[in-house]
Amino acid sequence: MLCSFLGRASATAASLPAQPVMAAVLEHENQVFLDLFHQDGLVICARGLGIDRILLRFLRLYCEPASLVLVLNTSPAEEEYFIDQLRSDGVVHLPRRVTNEITSNCRYEVYTQGGVLFATSRILVVDFLTDRIPSDLITGILVYKAHRIIESCQEAFILRLFRQKNKKGFIKAFTDNAIAFNTGFCHVERVMRNLFVRKLYLWPRFHIAVNSFLEKHKPEVVEIHVSMTPAMLTIQTSILDILNVCLRELKRFNPALEVEDLSLENAIGKPFDKTIRHYLDPLWHQLGAKTKSLVQDLKILRTLLQYLTQYDCVTFLNLVESLRATEKAFGQNSGWLFLDSSTSMFVNARARVYRIPDDKISKKSKVSEKMDMKEGKELKRELVLESNPKWEALREVLKEIESENNNSEHLGGPGQVLICASDDRTCAQLREYIIAGAEALLMRLYNKTFGKDERAAEAWIKDRKAVKSKGNAKSDTGPQAKKAKVEASSKQNKIMKKQDLTLTQMMGKTEEEDIAEEMEGYKELSSSEEINTEETKPEDFHLNLASDAYYGIFKNPLTIIHPLQGCSDPYALTRLLHEVEPRYVVMYDAELTFVRQLEIYKASRPGKPLRVYFLIYGGSTEEQRYLTVLRKEKEAFEKLIREKASMVIPEEREGRDETNLDLVRDSTSATVSTDTRKAGGQDQKSVQQTIIVDMREFRSELPSLIHRRGIDIEPVTLEVGDYILTPDICIERKSISDLIGSLNNGRLYSQCISMSRYYKRPILLIEFDPSKSFSLTSRGSLHQEISSNDITSKLTLLTLHFPRLRILWCPSPHATAELFEELKQNRPQPDAAIAMAITADSEIVPESDKYNPGPQDFLLKIPGVNAKNCRVLMNHVKSISELVTLSQEKLLEILGNAVSAKQLYDFIHISYAEAISKAKTKR
Amino acid sequence: ALPGATSYAEYGAASEVLPPGTEASTVPPAASGDSDPSPTLKLGAKSNCIIVSARQRGNPILKFVRNVPWEFGEIVPDYVLGQSTCALFLSLRYHNLNPNYIHARLQLLGKTYAVQVLLVQVDVKDPHQALKELAKMCILADCTLILAWSPEEAGRYLETYKAYEQKPADLLKEKVDQDFLSIVTDCLTSVKSVNKTDALSLLSTFGVSHLLPISVQTGPYHC
């Protein structure tokens, strides 16, 4: 059920010789490596099955000065990890990073030194275009996360440039995201085309080689199906009910939506938010308020579901209550709050935390003052504080491990324990739970969130004590829950004794303030405990571990809690795993990638025992979510296998000769004598089209698309404009968010000023995101009155002030590239040297202005001078030197406005000392 | 004076009746001469209203011109939005049916206004090809292309052009604090080689009256 783990394995293969080599080569990995080494291709491997290890092997192979290998699509954290791994393997010629910290002049040297290079894509594009990189010397390119290589992206552009200039080098691509290929039409084929590879290697988990090999090295697995409390179950059912209603409504309002992807099963999965955005973004501006609020509701409901199983009852109730409060405060009537199911959810959420004794309420007359009754209720709250069933299961597991560690001489001493939970917050809670116990944790949380309800708390503690003593007296007959409580408290005592071993300082950073607060609260708690227990100074133990996000609990045997997600370093858990080498792993939350990683980890240390405990709420959404992920990946691979079988790959795909049509850029650059695309007697057919592009623009996909059209690109640093199409046409490209930002901060205004000054045809290009709606304002966002804050108003004002400024509206970068090509037709080519030299000091276009722009800008900034009287002033006063000599009367005569004249005069003739004192008094 | 089919309201019916070649007849006879601006233009005449051509009668966007008064008048463009601003309105759906219409209108208009807006309402499903052609046309004909996705938005643009006719560009400029030091620093740093620190040290050494001519040694404003 859980991956290949099918219950408890009877015995481990202890007979195999123990190898201390950490990075032992695994059979199937060897095969992947050899296959790919002999022929270029794309490897798609199951998640967690060690795609990073395979890439690492290739890196190790090419870490030598004789080869030059580029690695694309790695993040800084991944690069760090790979370099660290290679360093610990004793590789001398370590990979280097080519980022903007290395100046352009030094880069050629870096390239010629060889070895493996992690390079920023933007830099590589520019270097390929300017031939700064010796493309003929490149041994090959390794592409990580290859599922992201779509046609227009920078990496695809790099590969195309590489193949155009280098026919011999290899291209090998890696990915472990099979699900990504499940979207779109022929996705895998298109990716392979962009990668220029012919071979597709598929390595699903159910691949025979992988399966049989991992079968041999199965870790011992214990699945613990924890059952949810009745209250939790009811809440879960209610939430699912509401989710279902919301989904149905959503479909009803938007019949165009694909029904298949909006099933309840998908709705509880992680990527649902993304899916729904994917569907709705392009038509977001057309959606009614109802749909938008439904989308919001779905998000909330999913959060609720997650909180239910992830955190304690108090946190959950807090979330629920806050929803209720916002609904009351803002009157957001989302509808579902009035469903029967939601009432049952509220009731049960409260019942998990406290109950209000019925008899007392019924005694009070219903007509009596409500305030009084409310107070009475507040005071009469009896705390229930239901503990998380998983917590108790965890306690049991830890107990089992402890007892096993006590007689573990034959295994060479006690084994380390690693507990994995999904996020930081859970980890913090678990840690507190293990050290302080459920009661203390819940009490603290309750006091924090719902105020210090001293009486109820005291009552609760008293009650607990009573139960405890009762439990001690007849522990055999007590109900199971009570029994667990007793065990818990006895365990707690044990831990108290071990106080000197616990860690009161949280090592590692917290990501949410929430956690920080919680931990603070915990510190208080532990410090008070400290005083109680004869002031033993807790030993601060600093483990020199690679990850900084873990929570240590016990030192001996080392017990550590680590989050599965949300670490700044994506390999934190992997590093920790190999460093701590735990014998016991407790999966508080199941995650596919890590489960597979554990299998690999086990297989790479044959003979060493590993036991994995799974804690899962049986029949819960949590379990369902895990199974869905598993199924999705399997289906994705099955689809890939089918596609692979029917795929037709042209011989010339790799582009090693001249026949690959993808490498032939459009008409103009090719040496075709007859050009059918352009009719009407062009006499400059032989001229190579060129566009000058600003360096900073290489972050966008537009340069790649322009290049694809057969237009040469000259990357230079431009002070004015982003793209120079012809000597006259200068284009400033703005995405919608850029446009809004630069209209607000004044940057666009100054950019338009300089474009108008130096070019005959200044153009503002507004580029829309093709995945979003092609519209500037959303429906219904128009105010009754003209508002100067609207983007349309600002755009209007801009065009009024720059009559020569043209505006292009492009729905996508593809459309932009096409338009650029057409705008260039029959027009002369731009000159990069001239474009680069255009700075504020250059000569201006004659028709733009008869005045020198420098002093004009200067004048306009002086108080009392504005756009209207600036001209008059410049016509009357020859220079600024003359201006400062004029009397106030003369200024008045020129400006014709007493206020302006005074402002101007005062500004010029104020002394520094006066100015400073003036400024101070103002403050 | 205008043929009935030229008014906006009737274009739908008209386009079905008229053969494609009759677009030329939509040119109002009042302004048949390209060379001299028609007397009805009243260039430079001040008006508080948007002047709307009679051919726009029935255009739903007029319903959304509410914040600025408007009146019908005999004009060459569809809308006169100020002394030097005018607009032509084009619905893409109409354009797809009569692709030559806008050509004729632009030709007729010539270059009589400083800001000539081509206000296009995007009301077809796949507007990209048409928009590309219009974009190129606007560059050749010196028009400012403005897209609106609804009659409300189109009406708002008309209003805004009229309302902002005299508005200074301050709204678009970078905000500068209104105390003396900020102003003088901003002023001095507009000279290319001066940065903020320089400005302050200059200011502490010289008074403004000395400083200004020093910082701008270029002298005359004229090139």
Side-chain angles (χ1 to χ4, degrees):
Chain A
M1 185 174 188
L2 288 158
C3 188
S4 74
F5 298 149
L6 297 163
R8 192 185 288 254
S10 53
T12 47
S15 55
L16 283 165
Q19 284 178 347
V21 195
M22 188 203 82
V25 177
L26 311 180
E27 276 172 38
H28 66 273
E29 274 182 12
N30 221 4
Q31 207 184 328
V32 179
F33 176 78
L34 288 175
D35 283 353
L36 191 60
F37 181 74
H38 287 302
Q39 198 179 359
D40 290 3
L42 165 65
V43 173
I44 305 175
C45 167
R47 268 174 62 200
L49 219 52
I51 197 79
D52 49 326
R53 292 164 56 105
I54 294 163
L55 180 64
L56 205 55
R57 284 193 65 182
F58 276 101
L59 295 184
R60 207 174 297 141
L61 186 69
Y62 293 114
C63 273
E64 41 155 19
S67 52
L68 172 57
V69 170
L70 303 172
V71 187
L72 300 183
N73 243 354
T74 44
S75 67
E78 287 158 351
E79 287 159 17
E80 187 106 17
Y81 172 74
F82 288 131
I83 294 174
D84 274 0
Q85 290 290 314
L86 291 170
R87 189 180 292 130
S88 65
D89 286 354
V91 172
V92 185
H93 202 86
L94 283 173
R96 275 162 307 156
R97 286 184 187 158
V98 180
T99 57
N100 52 9
E101 280 158 34
I102 302 176
T103 57
S104 52
N105 327 346
C106 309
R107 264 184 257 145
Y108 181 78
E109 209 175 309
V110 173
Y111 292 135
T112 46
Q113 280 166 3
V116 173
L117 294 176
F118 296 110
T120 315
S121 297
R122 188 177 64 87
I123 291 174
L124 270 186
V125 170
V126 172
D127 284 355
F128 265 113
L129 283 170
T130 53
D131 279 323
R132 198 177 282 130
I133 189 163
S135 35
D136 49 322
L137 295 182
I138 297 173
T139 322
I141 296 186
L142 300 171
V143 187
Y144 199 50
K145 286 182 249 171
H147 58 276
R148 294 204 192 144
I149 307 294
I150 50 160
E151 193 195 350
S152 53
C153 74
Q154 301 233 328
E155 287 74 24
F157 189 23
I158 293 171
L159 292 171
R160 209 162 64 231
L161 289 168
F162 168 68
R163 257 301 169 252
Q164 270 164 6
K165 297 179 179 191
N166 181 329
K167 303 284 179 198
K168 283 190 227 103
F170 64 77
I171 296 176
K172 299 179 194 301
F174 307 81
T175 181
D176 62 351
N177 194 342
I179 300 173
F181 291 102
N182 219 349
T183 56
F185 175 70
C186 282
H187 192 125
V188 71
E189 205 167 344
R190 279 184 290 142
V191 167
M192 285 171 68
R193 189 169 159 180
N194 292 327
L195 288 167
F196 300 99
V197 296
R198 300 190 59 212
K199 276 279 183 188
L200 175 63
Y201 303 105
L202 297 175
W203 288 91
R205 174 64 180 79
F206 56 80
H207 191 289
I208 186 108
V210 181
N211 205 20
S212 64
F213 172 72
L214 289 179
E215 199 71 12
K216 272 187 264 171
H217 303 276
K218 244 185 179 168
E220 194 183 345
V221 174
V222 184
E223 269 182 49
I224 299 171
H225 282 258
V226 185
S227 48
M228 293 200 276
T229 61
M232 283 172 86
L233 259 176
T234 325
I235 293 173
Q236 180 179 296
T237 322
S238 318
I239 298 177
L240 287 179
D241 270 352
I242 305 168
L243 255 180
N244 217 354
V245 171
C246 285
L247 281 175
R248 235 182 302 143
E249 286 280 287
L250 190 65
K251 280 180 213 160
R252 197 163 64 83
F253 280 100
N254 306 280
L257 286 179
E258 287 236 15
V259 186
E260 217 173 281
D261 281 321
L262 297 182
S263 66
L264 189 57
E265 187 189 349
N266 284 328
I268 59 174
K270 280 223 176 73
F272 183 71
D273 280 334
K274 245 190 228 163
T275 322
I276 204 153
R277 294 301 300 197
H278 172 77
Y279 281 119
L280 294 181
D281 261 353
L283 41 137
W284 192 250
H285 68 294
Q286 299 166 353
L287 296 178
K290 183 78 188 163
T291 309
K292 284 182 186 171
S293 84
L294 275 174
V295 173
Q296 190 57 33
D297 289 346
L298 283 175
K299 210 168 169 185
I300 291 171
L301 289 166
R302 283 159 41 77
T303 319
L304 278 174
L305 261 188
Q306 199 221 339
Y307 267 53
L308 175 66
T309 48
Q310 203 65 57
Y311 307 120
D312 55 287
C313 55
V314 179
T315 313
F316 183 76
L317 179 66
N318 190 27
L319 178 70
V320 170
E321 295 283 10
S322 71
L323 283 182
R324 184 70 158 250
T326 45
E327 197 269 335
K328 263 185 198 151
F330 301 108
Q332 284 168 337
N333 182 0
S334 28
W336 64 267
L337 279 168
F338 303 111
L339 293 175
D340 284 348
S341 306
S342 84
T343 318
S344 126
M345 179 181 83
F346 280 115
V347 168
N348 279 295
R350 276 196 203 117
R352 289 177 71 197
V353 181
Y354 55 80
R355 70 166 169 263
I356 297 148
D358 297 335
D359 48 335
K360 283 179 186 171
I361 290 177
S362 56
K363 266 180 202 169
K364 287 206 169 186
S365 66
K366 277 169 196 164
V367 209
S368 73
E369 314 94 286
K370 280 199 174 170
M371 279 304 292
D372 208 38
M373 188 161 154
K374 209 176 170 194
E375 256 172 54
K377 262 190 199 172
E378 291 280 334
L379 293 175
K380 297 289 151 31
R381 267 185 187 177
E382 244 172 64
L383 291 186
V384 180
L385 294 185
E386 181 183 278
S387 162
N388 261 7
K390 257 198 196 179
W391 288 354
E392 272 140 43
L394 178 66
R395 176 82 75 203
E396 300 258 332
V397 166
L398 288 180
K399 223 173 149 191
E400 188 181 315
I401 293 172
E402 196 184 279
S403 71
E404 229 158 276
N405 268 340
N406 282 342
N407 40 30
S408 60
E409 278 74 37
H410 63 286
L411 287 170
Q416 327 263 43
V417 185
L418 173 64
I419 304 169
C420 295
S422 75
D423 57 3
D424 223 32
R425 190 176 187 167
T426 321
C427 290
Q429 282 196 352
L430 285 183
R431 178 168 179 278
E432 189 178 343
Y433 165 71
I434 293 169
I435 291 169
E439 292 161 26
L441 166 63
L442 288 173
M443 207 54 226
R444 188 181 61 72
L445 285 174
Y446 181 81
N447 282 339
K448 204 190 88 193
T449 40
F450 296 104
K452 302 236 171 196
D453 191 353
E454 300 266 340
R455 265 205 237 174
E458 270 170 38
W460 188 65
I461 288 167
K462 247 183 229 168
D463 194 38
R464 282 291 122 204
K465 275 180 187 160
V467 170
K468 225 184 269 178
S469 55
K470 227 190 264 170
N472 280 338
K474 40 173 186 175
S475 60
D476 302 320
T477 51
Q480 231 188 337
K482 270 185 191 167
K483 192 176 164 189
K485 279 275 151 56
V486 177
E487 275 168 0
S489 50
S490 62
K491 178 86 179 177
Q492 192 183 345
N493 291 340
K494 225 185 269 172
I495 292 171
M496 294 285 266
K497 273 179 228 151
K498 279 191 187 169
Q499 184 73 33
D500 54 337
L501 288 176
T502 60
L503 183 75
T504 53
Q505 226 180 7
M506 191 195 61
M507 303 195 283
K509 54 190 175 188
T510 49
E511 292 183 351
E512 289 170 61
E513 249 179 67
D514 245 13
I515 302 165
E517 266 175 42
E518 264 175 42
M519 290 315 292
E520 246 169 60
Y522 169 66
K523 266 184 212 161
E524 277 170 31
L525 184 141
S526 66
S527 61
S528 65
E529 263 175 35
E530 248 175 71
I531 297 160
N532 289 342
T533 55
E534 63 204 75
E535 288 181 332
T536 43
K537 255 202 175 169
E539 187 183 333
D540 253 357
F541 74 99
H542 272 284
L543 301 159
N544 244 342
L545 291 180
S547 165
D548 55 357
Y550 67 93
Y551 299 83
I553 306 175
F554 310 125
K555 199 178 181 185
N556 200 18
L558 187 62
T559 305
I560 279 175
I561 310 182
H562 197 280
L564 289 161
Q565 273 136 19
C567 299
S568 51
D569 177 5
Y571 289 99
L573 193 54
T574 318
R575 288 171 195 243
L576 190 86
L577 184 65
H578 288 287
E579 210 152 338
V580 175
E581 303 203 8
R583 188 185 301 158
Y584 305 99
V585 176
V586 185
M587 300 286 291
Y588 187 81
D589 294 299
E591 200 235 6
L592 182 63
T593 315
F594 190 63
V595 172
R596 298 255 173 81
Q597 238 176 40
L598 282 176
E599 288 186 291
I600 297 291
Y601 163 74
K602 169 74 179 81
S604 62
R605 311 157 64 243
K608 293 201 179 166
L610 171 70
R611 185 186 293 165
V612 183
Y613 291 93
F614 281 95
L615 300 183
I616 269 208
Y617 285 119
S620 68
T621 50
E622 180 195 46
E623 185 185 17
Q624 188 58 47
R625 208 176 297 148
Y626 180 81
L627 293 176
T628 307
V629 172
L630 210 61
R631 185 176 56 80
K632 280 255 160 87
E633 200 199 48
K634 189 159 166 275
E635 282 172 3
F637 266 114
E638 282 164 357
K639 191 180 165 219
L640 281 172
I641 291 169
R642 279 197 303 275
E643 264 183 68
K644 188 186 174 185
S646 61
M647 209 184 285
V648 181
I649 298 160
E651 198 65 39
E652 68 279 4
R653 165 65 62 76
E654 294 201 345
R656 290 180 192 264
D657 43 28
E658 297 297 338
T659 49
N660 187 331
L661 290 176
D662 285 346
L663 292 176
V664 179
R665 293 156 64 204
D666 256 2
S667 55
T668 34
S669 69
T671 49
V672 193
S673 54
T674 50
D675 191 344
T676 50
R677 295 198 47 189
K678 286 173 189 162
Q682 289 192 348
D683 34 18
Q684 67 214 69
K685 214 173 273 173
S686 53
V687 177
Q688 171 58 48
Q689 300 274 311
T690 313
I691 290 181
I692 296 165
V693 182
D694 184 37
M695 285 292 190
R696 283 154 287 207
E697 275 298 301
F698 282 91
R699 280 189 195 91
S700 81
E701 47 190 331
L702 188 53
S704 154
L705 295 168
I706 295 173
H707 187 263
R708 192 93 199 248
R709 301 200 145 258
I711 300 169
D712 268 3
I713 288 176
E714 279 196 61
V716 297
T717 308
L718 290 176
E719 199 160 308
V720 177
D722 292 331
Y723 296 85
I724 313 293
L725 265 51
T726 73
D728 287 346
I729 299 182
C730 169
I731 293 181
E732 179 70 40
R733 188 187 69 97
K734 293 274 178 235
S735 66
I736 297 300
S737 54
D738 277 354
L739 179 72
I740 295 169
S742 60
L743 272 173
N744 285 336
N745 66 19
R747 217 178 64 241
L748 186 57
Y749 181 77
S750 44
Q751 283 169 333
C752 286
I753 286 186
S754 37
M755 276 205 296
S756 313
R757 271 184 194 155
Y758 307 115
Y759 290 95
K760 271 193 201 141
R761 293 185 189 280
I763 295 179
L764 168 66
L765 166 72
I766 304 177
E767 194 174 87
F768 291 81
D769 184 342
S771 66
K772 303 257 169 71
S773 59
F774 178 52
S775 156
L776 203 55
T777 50
S778 64
R779 197 175 76 169
S781 73
L782 225 53
H783 304 287
Q784 276 296 311
E785 313 266 308
I786 301 171
S787 155
S788 59
N789 289 325
D790 280 351
I791 176 172
T792 55
S793 307
K794 290 195 171 163
L795 201 59
T796 307
L797 196 57
L798 189 76
T799 54
L800 277 169
H801 282 271
F802 297 96
R804 284 192 301 121
L805 181 74
R806 301 282 85 92
I807 301 183
L808 298 180
W809 307 67
C810 281
S812 69
H814 290 266
T816 312
E818 202 180 330
L819 187 58
F820 277 13
E821 189 184 1
E822 290 177 23
L823 284 176
K824 280 181 66 61
Q825 272 170 29
N826 299 323
R827 291 202 171 104
Q829 302 308 316
D831 186 328
I834 294 175
M836 268 167 83
I838 286 182
T839 60
D841 301 326
S842 334
E843 271 196 23
I844 57 168
V845 171
E847 60 253 52
S848 77
D849 231 330
K850 68 169 179 163
Y851 299 105
N852 196 342
Q856 198 181 331
D857 283 350
F858 194 83
L859 275 180
L860 280 171
K861 299 226 161 135
I862 298 177
V865 182
N866 56 36
K868 278 175 218 153
N869 60 24
C870 186
R871 283 292 161 86
V872 186
L873 191 66
M874 285 194 290
N875 284 337
H876 282 84
V877 189
K878 270 201 219 71
S879 68
I880 288 180
S881 322
E882 193 188 325
L883 178 70
V884 296
T885 61
L886 297 179
S887 65
Q888 195 171 340
E889 289 72 39
K890 180 77 183 157
L891 286 174
L892 175 61
E893 196 181 297
I894 297 168
L895 297 176
N897 180 331
V899 182
S900 303
K902 184 162 174 11
Q903 273 183 336
L904 177 57
Y905 185 82
D906 284 353
F907 180 78
I908 294 172
H909 296 281
I910 197 168
S911 76
Y912 179 67
E914 269 176 74
I916 295 299
S917 64
K918 216 173 160 186
K920 270 181 191 158
T921 51
K922 259 188 185 174
R923 272 169 210 163
Chain B
L2 306 175
T6 57
S7 88
Y8 180 89
E10 282 148 291
Y11 84 79
S15 60
E16 283 156 28
V17 177
L18 294 175
T22 52
E23 263 75 55
S25 74
T26 58
V27 175
S32 50
D34 263 357
S35 48
D36 61 311
S38 96
T40 54
L41 261 180
K42 288 179 200 150
L43 263 184
K46 277 199 177 181
S47 166
N48 293 328
C49 301
I50 295 178
I51 301 167
V52 182
S53 159
R55 69 172 73 231
Q56 288 292 313
R57 199 183 290 276
N59 188 337
I61 73 169
L62 285 173
K63 269 193 292 188
F64 298 101
V65 182
R66 285 176 294 214
N67 296 306
V68 174
W70 58 272
E71 63 188 16
F72 286 113
E74 298 249 319
I75 47 167
V76 178
D78 290 335
Y79 301 92
V80 171
L81 304 164
Q83 277 175 295
S84 54
T85 314
C86 74
L88 287 178
F89 175 81
L90 181 67
S91 141
L92 269 190
R93 205 184 311 165
Y94 181 69
H95 177 67
N96 282 349
L97 293 168
N98 304 285
N100 291 326
Y101 161 79
I102 197 65
H103 265 293
R105 291 300 305 276
L106 282 170
Q107 233 160 33
L108 184 68
L109 182 61
K111 288 173 190 174
T112 26
Y113 292 82
V115 180
Q116 311 196 124
V117 178
L118 178 61
L119 180 58
V120 172
Q121 188 182 331
V122 183
D123 48 8
V124 292
K125 225 176 176 183
D126 190 25
H128 304 326
Q129 193 58 32
L131 283 182
K132 197 179 73 188
E133 294 306 322
L134 286 174
K136 285 197 297 186
M137 198 187 294
C138 280
I139 287 180
L140 290 174
D142 287 321
C143 276
T144 306
L145 181 64
I146 293 286
L147 300 191
W149 278 264
S150 62
E152 292 95 319
E153 205 182 341
R156 173 53 49 85
Y157 272 116
L158 292 180
E159 287 177 352
T160 318
Y161 269 108
K162 182 66 197 173
Y164 284 6
E165 190 187 350
Q166 303 293 338
K167 201 177 172 72
D170 299 340
L171 190 62
L172 300 170
K173 291 182 191 166
E174 195 185 353
K175 306 278 175 295
V176 179
D177 285 347
Q178 283 311 304
D179 63 294
F180 172 78
L181 274 182
S182 311
I183 294 174
V184 88
T185 319
D186 183 48
C187 183
L188 289 175
T189 47
S190 73
V191 178
K192 234 191 154 271
S193 50
V194 181
N195 66 25
K196 279 192 180 162
T197 337
D198 293 343
L200 275 184
S201 60
L202 279 170
L203 198 58
S204 58
T205 323
F206 307 100
V208 176
S209 58
H210 291 106
L211 198 51
L212 292 187
I214 294 170
S215 54
V216 187
Q217 283 186 339
T218 42
Y221 318 115
H222 298 267
C223 299

